[in-house]
Amino acid sequence: MDTLTAEQIAERIWLSIAERRLRPGMRLKETELAEVFGTSRARVRQVLGMLEREGLVTIEVNKGAFVAEPSVEDARDIFHIRRAVEGRVLERLVDRLDKKKIETIRRHVEKERIANADNDQRQIIKLSGGFHQMLAEMAEAEFLSVLMRDLISRSSLITAAFRDSAKYNCGPDEHEEILNHLRDGDPEKAQEAMRHHLEHVEKELRLAAGRDTPRSLKDLLS
Amino acid sequence: MDTLTAEQIAERIWLSIAERRLRPGMRLKETELAEVFGTSRARVRQVLGMLEREGLVTIEVNKGAFVAEPSVEDARDIFHIRRAVEGRVLERLVDRLDKKKIETIRRHVEKERIANADNDQRQIIKLSGGFHQMLAEMAEAEFLSVLMRDLISRSSLITAAFRDSAKYNCGPDEHEEILNHLRDGDPEKAQEAMRHHLEHVEKELRLAAGRDTPRSLKDLLS
DNA sequence: GCATACAATATTGTCGACAATAATGACAGC
DNA sequence: GCTGTCATTATTGTCGACAATATTGTATGC
């Protein structure tokens, strides 16, 4: 892979943020990124624009790009909206799922299980988001896919920022439970399982008092 | 106004689409746009990227940018999701509105009324979207504002594509009704009025059979 | 010694030139 | 006269150079 596309670079940065290698507030210099990915500054700027739109970085004019620093309120809002959107997705899914799609999802969950067994963090993160993205795409509403992509990005950042352990331990069991209810054609239970899943993820965040992401040195030293 | 910012250019193009001067499918050549707005191609490309993310234009690699052509399904989906999102906004608003904010909204609706009386299409479109954007921002959830902006853009395109008359006759009366219920602290009635408002707008679209936007000459001549 | 002004450096913002690709038109062969 | 091929033109994609701005370092006056 010689020349990376903007999307590929964006994914790499997203993964670095989700893996907590890039922490909220960190500076993202254009020339550095360009060197790292062996590309031009122009492309890096394009990528940073995409990431800003997805809420992963903030860009200050004439200052530069930084990994975004979501607030506790942001975290709550995102999960709140996400519960609503995932609900709509499942609503739409019941009419649209056939054996073939169920099988596709099943294979995906299987991959998640393997990645978990291997403790392959990068794959775990990618596949975990991919599960929800796949459901949104099967709902066959263009905008829901776009929206879900956005929500997954922001959720990844929030998880990285507020989670206690470095481990991304949202195992595939809950995904499989949702899948099983979908297979059984039981939308209510699928909805319930999804709600439970999202609440579980949110509960594991430290949203109470201590925040992980000092906004500035001032906050850090006060 | 000598040099326009990317946002200003994007707004101008959005307005042209909403006013039906730019129709779905129309080609948007970079050099032409650059000349029209007295700017560089680089900036135009930046703007086109923004508009693509908002769903207003589609970009085909090595082909160029075109005004997006929403399908009937897209239209239904957008309004479906929009109803849900506007509902969440109103939910959050009840706890957050004070006299000052109510007054701000009231003044906005007043402006809408004036624009309507003057039959100033451009102002009508801007203010009509601005009403919903204002509510979303008062809900104080960053992501809801971003989301609403997106939904408003796409709704404008859909309205332009599927509406019978050229007139943008979503008058300020329904906005005022929502405002009144909010002022009275009656969330249920506000929700009801919003639902009615959005359904009214959607009902006025020709989403049944005939579509306004031929995807290609083949469709047009078959 | 401290603060302020100024210079040097680093970083981002903007643009125009060139390369790559697609669309169009001309021409030759049949 | 029609079709396929090639050349021409038009348009988009990419990049590096330069300008504008912010940051850091240095010196100077008090």
Side-chain angles (χ1 to χ4, degrees):
Chain A
M1 183 88 44
D2 199 8
T3 56
L4 296 164
T5 69
E7 283 75 17
Q8 290 171 320
I9 297 173
E11 187 185 38
R12 292 269 297 267
I13 296 177
W14 164 61
L15 281 170
S16 290
I17 293 175
E19 292 180 71
R20 301 180 151 193
R21 299 160 46 117
L22 290 174
R23 309 275 328 227
M26 274 191 179
R27 178 90 180 268
L28 299 172
K29 290 184 199 168
E30 296 177 355
T31 48
E32 281 185 19
L33 292 176
E35 284 171 19
V36 168
F37 295 110
T39 184
S40 66
R41 259 189 66 220
R43 189 165 297 252
V44 168
R45 284 173 70 79
Q46 184 188 355
V47 170
L48 289 174
M50 294 165 59
L51 293 173
E52 185 192 27
R53 168 79 186 169
E54 290 178 16
L56 289 180
V57 315
T58 57
I59 295 177
E60 294 176 49
V61 190
N62 285 330
K63 291 277 182 61
F66 305 82
V67 179
E69 303 179 280
S71 66
V72 175
E73 295 75 35
D74 291 336
R76 291 226 164 79
D77 295 342
I78 292 294
F79 274 91
H80 181 72
I81 296 168
R82 185 159 172 187
R83 273 193 293 275
V85 172
E86 300 261 18
R88 299 276 157 183
V89 168
L90 291 182
E91 270 177 26
R92 292 180 61 98
L93 271 185
V94 290
D95 294 334
R96 279 166 239 268
L97 282 182
D98 52 22
K99 287 232 172 67
K100 199 173 169 189
K101 286 180 182 169
I102 294 276
E103 177 59 19
T104 305
I105 303 174
R106 202 195 57 70
R107 276 202 304 273
H108 185 94
V109 175
E110 194 53 39
K111 278 191 210 159
E112 287 189 72
R113 201 170 289 286
I114 293 169
N116 240 275
D118 297 347
N119 200 30
D120 181 346
Q121 289 303 311
R122 185 162 302 188
Q123 273 311 70
I124 291 173
I125 292 172
K126 278 170 79 166
L127 292 171
S128 180
F131 174 80
H132 296 272
Q133 187 69 48
M134 181 179 278
L135 294 187
E137 268 153 28
M138 287 179 175
E140 289 175 346
E142 162 71 12
F143 188 71
L144 274 184
S145 299
V146 176
L147 185 48
M148 185 60 75
R149 177 189 165 80
D150 212 340
L151 285 168
I152 291 169
S153 288
R154 290 168 197 261
S155 298
S156 300
L157 169 64
I158 288 166
T159 303
F162 291 107
R163 203 182 180 77
D164 271 358
S165 66
K167 207 163 148 249
Y168 196 88
N169 60 2
C170 144
D173 291 344
E174 297 178 353
H175 286 180
E176 182 155 30
E177 195 188 341
I178 295 166
L179 165 61
N180 287 337
H181 291 313
L182 286 174
R183 167 172 45 80
D184 300 342
D186 193 334
E188 276 78 21
K189 284 200 175 171
Q191 296 251 7
E192 179 56 32
M194 177 66 83
R195 257 195 304 275
H196 178 261
H197 172 47
L198 293 174
E199 265 165 30
H200 177 214
V201 174
E202 188 177 358
K203 283 267 170 59
E204 297 235 333
L205 304 181
R206 290 198 300 182
L207 296 182
R211 58 178 291 172
D212 217 20
T213 64
R215 174 156 287 278
S216 66
L217 272 182
K218 220 188 297 177
D219 294 353
L220 195 64
L221 301 174
S222 64
Chain B
M1 179 109 25
D2 199 7
T3 56
L4 296 164
T5 70
E7 283 75 18
Q8 289 171 320
I9 296 173
E11 188 184 39
R12 291 269 296 267
I13 295 178
W14 165 60
L15 281 171
S16 290
I17 293 174
E19 292 180 71
R20 300 182 151 191
R21 299 161 42 126
L22 290 174
R23 309 275 328 228
M26 273 190 181
R27 178 90 182 267
L28 298 172
K29 289 185 199 169
E30 297 178 355
T31 49
E32 283 184 19
L33 291 175
E35 283 171 20
V36 168
F37 295 110
T39 185
S40 66
R41 258 188 67 218
R43 183 156 301 214
V44 167
R45 285 173 70 79
Q46 185 188 356
V47 170
L48 290 174
M50 293 164 60
L51 293 173
E52 186 192 26
R53 284 192 288 267
E54 290 178 19
L56 289 180
V57 315
T58 56
I59 295 178
E60 294 176 49
V61 189
N62 285 330
K63 292 277 182 64
F66 304 82
V67 179
E69 303 180 282
S71 67
V72 175
E73 294 76 33
D74 291 336
R76 290 226 165 80
D77 295 342
I78 292 293
F79 273 92
H80 181 72
I81 296 168
R82 185 160 173 187
R83 273 194 293 275
V85 172
E86 299 261 18
R88 299 276 159 183
V89 168
L90 291 182
E91 270 177 26
R92 293 179 62 98
L93 271 184
V94 290
D95 294 334
R96 279 166 239 268
L97 281 182
D98 53 21
K99 287 232 171 68
K100 199 173 168 189
K101 286 180 182 168
I102 293 276
E103 177 60 18
T104 305
I105 303 174
R106 204 195 56 70
R107 277 202 303 273
H108 185 94
V109 175
E110 193 52 39
K111 278 192 212 159
E112 287 189 70
R113 199 169 290 286
I114 293 170
N116 238 274
D118 297 348
N119 201 30
D120 181 347
Q121 290 303 311
R122 187 162 301 190
Q123 273 310 70
I124 290 172
I125 292 171
K126 278 170 80 166
L127 292 170
S128 180
F131 175 80
H132 296 272
Q133 186 68 49
M134 180 178 280
L135 294 187
E137 268 154 27
M138 287 180 176
E140 289 175 345
E142 163 70 10
F143 188 70
L144 274 183
S145 299
V146 176
L147 186 48
M148 185 60 76
R149 178 188 164 79
D150 213 340
L151 285 168
I152 290 169
S153 288
R154 290 168 196 261
S155 297
S156 300
L157 170 63
I158 288 166
T159 303
F162 292 107
R163 204 181 180 76
D164 270 358
S165 67
K167 208 163 148 249
Y168 196 88
N169 60 2
C170 142
D173 292 343
E174 296 178 354
H175 286 180
E176 181 156 32
E177 194 187 342
I178 296 167
L179 165 63
N180 287 338
H181 292 313
L182 286 174
R183 167 171 46 78
D184 299 343
D186 193 335
E188 276 78 21
K189 284 201 174 169
Q191 295 251 9
E192 179 56 32
M194 177 65 83
R195 257 194 303 276
H196 177 261
H197 171 48
L198 293 174
E199 266 165 28
H200 178 214
V201 174
E202 187 176 358
K203 282 267 170 58
E204 297 234 335
L205 303 181
R206 290 198 300 182
L207 296 182
R211 58 179 290 173
D212 217 20
T213 64
R215 175 156 287 280
S216 66
L217 271 182
K218 220 188 296 178
D219 293 353
L220 195 64
L221 300 175
S222 64

